[in-house]
């Protein structure tokens, strides 16, 4: 029988270098993750391989070296900076005789610590259960015993089957609750659109300074700390960028390289805030040596959640950590995003940022007139769902003349969704 070991605070970290980019991870970021989780790093063991070992992920000799270090350092948990299969976790735990957690499990643990709202806790629980469901197959072999006792002997479902069934039921319940939350968020977004208030969403790599930037612009007191994933629950505030120009600013969860798919799926409602925004502020830690890689990772996540079409302003934050860098605006060339250099901590360049946002908001809207036939009810329905219709009239032939004011990103999505059919409905305003 195989029982999982209890966890603890004393950790040994394992980081392996691979030649292919798919398995590559950043060691310094991994240490930051572990510290953010509140663990004590007793040792960091490195190595290199051409490909993961099927049994231990690492080689047999390296696995035995880790087992010895666990005894010498009296470690409670071994953390891998990589994703392990359920069988690899089981085999390693048997060998090192302590809890083994992979990168995904570590990130899920941090999210569980940070979640504050009911929605955030549900999202984390869903991600954890999805992750756990793959570990019930081999990791919990002691659960394969059938129930015993008076009235429970004989044929029936095993304990493992019972756990699987209960797990599926709980996942189903959480998904239903999150679907309800998503509908409520959609109603809130529609209300903001009806109020003609544009939405600006902060996105960026974790610990880039999004919450500090949010606090600086809104004069709010959202929790901000120099740690990874300090913010999980989205926050909204009405702001006045310049006199007469108001908007809704949203602070969202930070991204990270190889963000677990379970988390992307679980935080769908939260990530929708980014997808539905009029403008994205991509907050970048200008003082981070890994900023180029981090920028690429953020754009990968934006592509995955369908937010790649939205106008983006790159905000190079933390210039107070750099020598000789002054606040400035670099206009984008040939469709590239504008760049604003500023510091959320000191406030330098924030006024330039607000002016840049205002300028971009002014060019993000299209005034169009459409002529729709009765068979174009699908397009008309999409326009109503987006709340972009300003006037609508029925012509003598039964067609609709519709005046709309639509965000460029929404218009591009409609073009793709209708395979260009909506362009044929355009009329001269």
């Amino acid at each position: 029988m195989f029982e999982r070991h209890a966890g603890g605070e004393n950790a040994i970290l394992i980081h392996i270098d691979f030649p292919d980019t798919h398995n590559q991870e950043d060691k310094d970021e991994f240490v930051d993750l572990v510290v953010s989780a509140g663990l004590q790093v007793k040792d960091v063991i490195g190595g290199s391989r051409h490909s993961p070992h099927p049994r231990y992920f690492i080689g047999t000799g390296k696995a035995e070296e880790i087992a010895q270090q666990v005894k010498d350092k009296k470690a409670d948990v071994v953390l891998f900076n990589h994703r392990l299969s359920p069988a690899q976790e089981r085999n390693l735990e048997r060998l090192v005789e302590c809890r083994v957690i992979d990168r995904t499990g570590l990130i899920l643990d941090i999210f569980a610590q940070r979640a504050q709202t009911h929605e955030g806790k549900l999202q984390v629980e869903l991600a954890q259960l999805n992750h756990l469901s793959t570990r019930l197959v081999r990791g919990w072999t002691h659960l394969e015993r059938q129930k015993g006792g008076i009235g429970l002997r004989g044929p029936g479902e095993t304990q493992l089957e019972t756990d699987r069934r209960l797990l599926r039921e709980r996942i189903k319940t959480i998904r239903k609750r999150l679907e309800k939350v998503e509908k409520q968020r959609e109603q809130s977004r529609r209300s903001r659109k009806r109020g003609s208030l544009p939405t600006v969403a902060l996105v960026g790599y974790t610990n880039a300074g999004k919450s500090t930037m949010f606090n600086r612009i809104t004069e709010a007191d959202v929790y901000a700390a120099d740690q990874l994933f300090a913010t999980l629950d989205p926050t909204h505030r009405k702001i006045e960028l310049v006199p007469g120009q108001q908007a809704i600013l949203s602070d969202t969860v930070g991204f990270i390289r190889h963000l677990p798919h379970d988390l992307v799926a679980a935080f769908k409602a939260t990530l929708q805030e980014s997808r539905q925004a009029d403008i994205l502020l991509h907050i970048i830690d200008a003082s981070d040596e890994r900023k180029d890689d981090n920028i690429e990772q953020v754009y990968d996540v934006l592509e995955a959640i369908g937010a790649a079409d939205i106008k983006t302003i790159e905000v190079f934050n933390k210039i107070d950590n750099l020598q000789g860098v002054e606040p400035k605006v670099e206009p984008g060339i040939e469709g590239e995003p504008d760049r604003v250099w500023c510091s959320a901590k000191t406030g330098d360049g924030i006024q330039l940022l607000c002016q840049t946002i205002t300028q971009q908001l002014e060019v993000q809207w299209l005034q169009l007139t459409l002529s729709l036939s009765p068979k174009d009810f699908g397009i008309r329905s999409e326009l109503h769902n987006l709340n972009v219709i300003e006037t609508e009239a029925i012509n003598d032939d039964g067609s609709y003349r519709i005046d709309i004011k639509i965000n460029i990103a929404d218009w591009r999505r409609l073009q793709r969704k209708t395979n260009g059919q909506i362009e044929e409905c355009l009329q001269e305003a």
Side-chain angles (χ1 to χ4, degrees), residues 402-420:
I402 302 177
D403 295 317
I404 63 173
K405 182 180 179 182
I406 187 170
N407 182 277
I408 290 177
D410 287 333
W411 176 251
R412 287 173 180 165
R413 290 193 198 101
L414 278 177
Q415 287 175 314
R416 285 199 304 272
K417 199 168 187 177
T418 63
N419 294 319

Side-chain angles (χ1 to χ4, degrees), residues 60-187:
T60 305
K62 182 66 69 174
E64 292 173 352
E65 176 190 340
I66 294 170
Q68 187 59 48
Q69 284 293 94
V70 167
K71 292 179 181 178
D72 295 343
K73 305 286 186 180
K74 297 181 180 178
D76 306 306
V77 61
V78 173
L79 298 168
F80 274 74
N81 192 20
H82 310 274
R83 183 159 189 157
L84 303 177
S85 70
Q88 288 167 342
E89 276 191 13
R90 176 197 64 185
N91 294 333
L92 284 165
E93 286 195 4
R94 278 176 168 166
L95 181 66
V96 303
E97 298 181 349
C98 75
R99 192 68 178 263
V100 175
I101 298 176
D102 67 357
R103 180 183 173 86
T104 301
L106 174 62
I107 294 175
L108 287 172
D109 186 83
I110 295 173
F111 271 53
Q113 293 180 41
R114 302 281 192 274
Q116 298 294 323
T117 65
H118 176 64
E119 177 197 353
K121 291 175 181 177
L122 282 176
Q123 289 171 326
V124 171
E125 184 180 356
L126 176 60
Q128 287 179 319
L129 291 177
N130 283 329
H131 186 64
L132 175 63
S133 63
T134 63
R135 267 92 183 131
L136 280 176
V137 180
R138 299 185 183 92
W140 275 256
T141 53
H142 67 287
L143 298 179
E144 292 175 0
R145 300 189 299 269
Q146 285 191 336
K147 294 177 180 176
I150 299 296
L152 294 175
R153 292 192 181 94
E157 66 179 6
T158 65
Q159 184 63 48
L160 180 58
E161 291 168 341
T162 302
D163 284 1
R164 284 175 178 163
R165 176 171 52 80
L166 294 175
L167 201 63
R168 286 194 300 268
E169 290 174 357
R170 179 60 180 165
I171 289 175
K172 188 176 179 181
T173 300
I174 293 175
R175 280 180 175 158
K176 284 183 178 178
R177 291 184 183 178
L178 287 176
E179 285 174 5
K180 185 177 179 181
V181 170
E182 190 173 349
K183 289 179 181 177
Q184 292 171 342
R185 284 193 178 280
E186 185 62 32
Q187 289 175 348

Side-chain angles (χ1 to χ4, degrees), residues 38 48 275:
S48 60
R275 199 171 76 87

Side-chain angles (χ1 to χ4, degrees), residues 246-310:
Q246 290 185 326
I248 299 293
L249 188 66
S250 299
D251 188 16
T252 60
V253 62
F255 302 155
I256 196 169
R257 72 188 71 247
H258 298 160
L259 191 66
H261 295 297
D262 292 339
L263 279 179
V264 174
F267 279 76
K268 181 181 176 184
T270 301
L271 295 173
Q272 282 284 93
E273 297 296 332
S274 301
R275 199 171 76 87
Q276 299 293 340
D278 297 303
I279 286 182
L280 298 179
L281 295 187
H282 180 183
I283 310 299
I284 301 163
D285 183 352
S287 63
D288 192 339
E289 296 177 354
R290 302 164 290 182
K291 63 178 179 293
D292 291 337
D293 288 336
N294 295 348
I295 291 171
E296 185 178 343
Q297 293 294 327
V298 169
Y299 282 126
D300 286 345
V301 177
L302 291 176
E303 179 74 33
I305 65 176
D309 288 334
I310 300 174

